[in-house]
Amino acid sequence: MLAQAQSLVFPFYRQPTPGYGFECIYAVDADIRVLTSVTTDELYGDLAHSGVVIYRDFGDTLQDFNDFVSAHSSRVTFDPARKTSTANTAEIDAGFHEMGLHRENGNLPFNPDIQWFFCLEAAAVGSETTMCDGQKVLFDLSAKTRKLFESRDIKYSRRIPWSNVKRFLSVELQIPFEKITDEHLEVVNREVPGQTHRRVDQNLIHSQLIIPAVEISCFSGRKAFCNSMLGPSVNYEPPRITSENGDEISLDIWDEVKDVTSRNTYSHFWNKGDIVVIDNTRVMHGRRRLDDPSRRIFGAQSYSKWKWCRQIPA
Ligand SMILES: [Fe+2]
């Protein structure tokens, strides 16, 4: 009797992932949609608390997911290497290999605040999405390593095809693709601290980004080890990653980063209809080996509606 009365009052309930504390919210009834159940303040409050929100057993369609992303973002962007599938989302096709933990677009000059995922078809086995809370990683690193990353930025250097750079700048600067020229590379070089583009030839742009490995979460306001040091480069040349002055990062430090992040990595096994929202300024994500290619996941990236979010000094 009591359980019934409670389920009427609470159409969904929370069960944080054991050991990791990511917010996991279950619908009591599949008629309930995330789109019509959650306000921006509630979503952002959960992100501030937990870094990740997982919605399960709700009845949202792909279009609902698209609208959900719009409703809680100031602006939606795309990964320039992916094919667009709805107005705001793109189906993810990132090969079969395991994909390392990364901050979305973490080695590009513009990083979205929020990463969104929707599961249209679940895998029968494996293929989990991985998530790692950079606030916990920072806490677990040795004092020496933490101080190193807090006192020195890291540098990503690599060459990117001009067509990919053009697509990326077209989305981020909101300028039509065919209007992007070398002048826009110069604008970004001037406006984005740490970013330097240099033309190699008609096909390639050399990109160098100097950026902190430790970010301040724009939702929680706390420091987090959040970067793309371990990230994949499915669609691009892998970057060379060094200290800001060009010094190699020692193998001991790399070993510690791999060890501490893997200890703090949660693997999310998808159910059809799951929606996952990630604070991209705090939590890194990746994927286990793709064991079932029939799995279909859609993703989106966007900026927060909280204006102060962009103004927290680094
Ligand atoms: Fe990603």
Side-chain angles (χ1 to χ4, degrees), residues 217-252:
S217 162
C218 74
F219 292 99
S220 74
R222 293 174 60 195
K223 284 186 188 175
F225 183 85
C226 186
N227 55 63
S228 291
M229 288 177 67
L230 302 173
S233 288
V234 178
N235 298 300
Y236 307 103
E237 177 180 66
R240 189 170 127 75
I241 305 170
T242 62
S243 205
E244 61 185 6
N245 59 4
D247 287 353
E248 295 291 340
I249 295 166
S250 78
L251 290 177
D252 287 351

Side-chain angles (χ1 to χ4, degrees), residues 154-168:
I154 51 171
K155 179 159 85 177
Y156 302 96
S157 313
R158 62 177 174 168
R159 297 169 305 172
I160 311 176
W162 171 228
S163 57
N164 291 61
V165 176
K166 260 174 103 171
R167 263 201 297 279
F168 180 69

